[in-house]
Amino acid sequence: MLTLGTGALSLFAVQFAKLLGAEVVATTSSPQKAERLKALGADHVVRYADHPAWGRTVRDLTGGRGVDLVVETVGPETIEQSVRASALYGRIVLVSANSPRKASLEITTDALASSLVTMRRLFVGSRTHFESMNRALTLHGTRPVVDRTFGFDEVHEAFRYYESGVAFGKVVIRVA
């Protein structure tokens, strides 16, 4: 499985995949976040700042095969590389397709030729799946990764911190 970045959803995907016994490849920009991803359980970390064509790097890490599942949390900026990183019949779960910089998803025919990937948009699952997931998380003691907690009176600082891109996981605002 491949996750992108160190946002709360990507980190949850790493945790859940490891709980299920999957091999996880994750991407990030910084060496510090790479170390934290490994400590969380990622088997391989690709620094996209060092490897702009990280889809090829992911394929190399998987012996040329590619990953069976991509949790795509970025969208327009990364979709091309996510397709290139996918195995022949891989799946991409598209969680986000919005971007302030790009208005559409664009995938070259060359990238499409590298895989017979299936892409699905994801919103929410069924209540039954949600309850099953929560039982598994409770059983294994899985907790969300919280980077920093702010008081309600620090809400502006919290948003600035979140927007800076330095957070590793959730940024929490206490309301009480």
Side-chain angles (χ1 to χ4, degrees):
M1 186 182 96
L2 171 65
T3 63
L4 308 180
T6 56
L9 182 63
S10 293
L11 297 182
F12 175 71
V14 170
Q15 290 175 296
F16 206 69
K18 293 310 294 181
L19 181 98
L20 296 171
E23 183 175 352
V24 176
V25 180
T27 66
T28 190
S29 59
S30 78
Q32 296 82 8
K33 288 182 178 182
E35 289 306 313
R36 292 183 73 184
L37 279 163
K38 288 178 185 173
L40 191 62
D43 298 285
H44 309 281
V45 179
V46 177
R47 290 188 47 221
Y48 57 82
D50 295 338
H51 303 277
W54 50 263
R56 168 71 4 221
T57 305
V58 170
R59 278 199 176 243
D60 291 344
L61 287 170
T62 59
R65 185 179 179 282
V67 294
D68 294 313
L69 176 65
V70 178
V71 179
E72 173 57 75
T73 53
V74 182
E77 283 87 2
T78 56
I79 194 67
E80 171 97 5
Q81 292 303 313
S82 289
V83 170
R84 290 182 183 280
S86 295
L88 183 59
Y89 291 100
R91 293 176 294 147
I92 296 176
V93 177
L94 185 61
V95 179
S96 177
N98 299 324
S99 168
R101 292 175 292 285
K102 284 179 98 173
S104 62
L105 296 174
E106 298 173 12
I107 305 167
T108 63
T109 53
D110 183 50
L112 283 175
S114 70
S115 175
L116 296 172
V117 70
T118 299
M119 189 180 321
R120 293 190 62 188
R121 199 63 176 104
L122 179 70
F123 294 102
V124 294
S126 70
R127 179 181 176 146
T128 302
H129 288 151
F130 181 67
E131 290 170 349
S132 294
M133 177 191 73
N134 286 331
R135 281 192 301 275
L137 295 173
T138 299
L139 177 68
H140 293 279
T142 305
R143 305 288 304 159
V145 177
V146 176
D147 182 90
R148 201 162 156 201
T149 302
F150 292 85
F152 190 72
D153 60 329
E154 301 171 295
V155 69
H156 297 292
E157 183 183 344
F159 277 105
R160 281 190 296 276
Y161 181 74
Y162 178 76
E163 283 183 324
S164 74
V166 300
F168 185 89
K170 293 182 173 292
V171 175
V172 176
I173 300 171
R174 262 188 330 272
V175 291

